[in-house]
Structures are given as structure tokens and as C-alpha cells.
Amino acid sequence: MLVLRLLNVVAPAYFLCISLVTFVLQIFVFIPSMFRDPSTTPLFSPALLHGALFLFLSANALGNYVLVIQSSPEDLGKDLNLGKGVEVADWLDGSRSPGSALPGTHFCRLCARVTQRHDHHCFFTGNCIGSRNMRNFIMFCLYTSLACLESLVAGMAYISATLSMSFADPLAFLTLLPHSISQFFSGALLSSEMFVILMLYLWLGIGLACAGFCCHQMLLILRGQTRYQVRKGMVVRARPWRENLQEVFGKKWLLGLLIPVQNVESSYRRQKEK
């Protein structure tokens, strides 16, 4: 448990550190290297378009990251009928009375609260993912993967120009790291260039991981399930996939794709207000 609590603190700091390094490399290294002669640079040059695209992806990733943290799943421990004599601590060992809780509710040890439609605890945000912040979490994963893959392409272009090498051969990227390590220890490669090469593989790993996780999460949403329900083998009521999407993304889903906006409120809160 102590290791999980430590990971809950270290993982967000690690993500913010990687984000800061990526921003610095893009703004002060990659983008300036694309400008050969700033005085003759056209308005819609590839460098300016690349910078605008990176800022758009970064703003959406960071904005949805903040909204995931701010839109914490509400604590239902005080509102749910846990049964006579049943305390919230009883959720630790899974003891529940029949009908004592809404389907999909779960007590998180790290957050110390009962949340509705609990999906999982995200260590990179230090928060539980539930009905209130699921859309922002999906958008965070999507734009993080796009920002990492875009940084990967820009970094490869920078390394190609700096080291005068070509990535036309698909095996060139796979053999880049071992060759760079040998050149670095022999003194033929600068530490800054080696750092950029290491970041290329880090961006590739994070980008593919976030993209795969986003696709898996979307598949569960289409089925109307959460990861917690799948893990516990819970049976969910079959509904059309359009209703499942609308429950998570809302009617104004297109707005959430373009700018970071607050997620839809949980169905539990809407029922409670009625």
C-alpha cells in the first residue's frame, strides 16, 4: 500500500517533467531548427504550422489533464445506503449487503471514497476515473498520444538534419539507439544529441501506450462497461452503442474534441436532483 501511495505522488510529477522537457525541446530546439532564414519565411511555412499544431495538441492534453483532476468522482459514501451497521470501511474486504450500492460503485483505497461507475485509479493523474471525468480522461489520452507522436516526427527530422542521416529505411530507427550508444561512449556524439535520441524512444512508447489505452477504453464505452466491471465479471444492461457514447461524451461531443471542456455530470447526480 505504501508503494502505491508513493507511485500516486511520483507518477504525476514524472508526467509533468516529461511534458516540460517536450515543450522546451519543441519550442527552443526543433521549431527554431526549421527556420533557415526567418526574414524570408512565408506566413504558412511548415515550421509555423508545426508550432501551431504542437501548441494545439499540448493545450488540449494539459487542459484535459487538469479537468480530470478537478472533476474528481463524487464521494457517494454519505449518500449511498450501505445497509444498517455497514461502514465505508467494510468495502475494503468487499462485504456488501444485497442492493446496498449502485452498480459499478467501488471504494478506492488511495482516494478513500466510494465513486459511481468506477473505472480505474489513474496514477498519472493521482485520481480515480469515473462517470464525471471519463470523457476528459479519454481526451487526455488521445491528445497525449498525438502530441508524443508529433514530437517523435519532429525529433526524427531534427536528428536527420543534425547527424546527416536518413530514416527512409525502416530499420534505421530500430538501429539508431544501439549505434548512438556506441558513438556516445566513443565521443563521436554529443550529450544533447543523445538525450534527444532517448526522448524519441520515450515519445514512441508513451504515444503507443496512450493510443492503445484510448482504443481499449473506447471499446469498453461502446459496450457500456467499465474496467472495474469487466474485472469483477459484472453483468451490465445491454443498450445501443449510441446511448453509451452519449452518456460519456454528451450531446456536445464535438466541442469536447476541439477544446477542453467540463465533462457531463453523472447520471447518479441527475437522478438525485430530480
Side-chain angles (χ1 to χ4, degrees):
M1 190 62 181
L2 180 60
V3 176
L4 294 179
R5 293 187 180 277
L6 181 62
L7 182 62
N8 202 43
V9 176
V10 174
Y14 172 77
F15 171 78
L16 294 177
C17 181
I18 294 298
S19 302
L20 180 61
V21 171
T22 302
F23 182 82
V24 171
L25 287 176
Q26 285 273 14
I27 300 300
F28 297 101
V29 179
F30 298 160
I31 296 180
S33 65
M34 298 179 184
F35 289 93
R36 296 181 179 180
D37 187 2
S39 60
T40 61
T41 300
L43 180 60
F44 296 100
S45 65
L48 292 178
L49 294 178
H50 165 75
L53 176 61
F54 173 74
L55 292 178
F56 172 75
L57 297 177
S58 301
N60 275 276
L62 182 60
N64 283 285
Y65 179 81
V66 173
L67 289 178
V68 169
I69 299 176
Q70 290 183 347
S71 305
S72 300
E74 53 192 337
D75 188 359
L76 305 180
K78 299 180 179 180
D79 299 327
L80 293 177
N81 178 23
L82 298 179
K84 185 177 181 180
V86 179
E87 302 293 338
V88 175
D90 294 334
W91 287 66
L92 292 173
D93 57 359
S95 59
R96 310 170 191 173
S97 58
S100 60
L102 295 175
T105 51
H106 172 66
F107 179 82
C108 179
R109 296 170 180 263
L110 297 176
C111 295
R113 57 171 174 248
V114 182
T115 59
Q116 183 197 13
R117 289 192 62 82
H118 175 87
D119 188 86
H120 69 284
H121 182 90
C122 178
F123 289 98
F124 286 99
T125 60
N127 200 7
C128 278
I129 306 302
S131 58
R132 294 187 62 191
N133 55 5
M134 175 58 72
R135 181 178 68 177
N136 296 123
F137 178 75
I138 295 293
M139 292 295 101
F140 161 68
C141 292
L142 175 62
Y143 280 105
T144 298
S145 64
L146 293 178
C148 287
L149 296 179
E150 193 272 345
S151 300
L152 173 64
V153 174
M156 291 176 61
Y158 172 79
I159 291 297
S160 178
T162 303
L163 303 182
S164 300
M165 62 179 302
S166 175
F167 289 97
D169 186 4
L171 296 179
F173 182 79
L174 299 178
T175 58
L176 175 62
L177 183 59
H179 289 170
S180 300
I181 293 177
S182 61
Q183 293 179 0
F184 175 74
F185 286 104
S186 63
L189 193 66
L190 299 177
S191 57
S192 59
E193 297 171 346
M194 186 63 198
F195 178 75
V196 173
I197 293 175
L198 292 176
M199 290 298 299
L200 294 181
Y201 289 90
L202 183 61
W203 287 326
L204 177 63
I206 296 177
L208 293 179
C210 289
F213 194 89
C214 183
C215 293
H216 178 258
Q217 204 69 41
M218 284 298 301
L219 181 60
L220 293 178
I221 292 176
L222 291 174
R223 295 177 177 177
Q225 295 176 310
T226 62
R227 293 182 61 189
Y228 174 75
Q229 291 173 339
V230 174
R231 187 170 65 250
K232 294 298 182 179
M234 297 179 179
V235 180
V236 296
R237 181 171 59 90
R239 296 188 307 175
W241 61 271
R242 294 181 182 273
E243 294 184 8
N244 295 329
L245 283 178
Q246 184 174 342
E247 183 180 7
V248 175
F249 293 94
K251 296 181 179 180
K252 300 180 180 179
W253 57 271
L254 184 58
L255 182 63
L257 289 177
L258 301 177
I259 58 175
V261 292
Q262 191 75 24
N263 197 356
V264 294
E265 295 185 348
S266 65
S267 59
Y268 173 77
R269 172 174 291 187
R270 290 196 299 265
Q271 293 174 2
K272 186 171 60 175
E273 291 177 352
K274 292 181 179 179

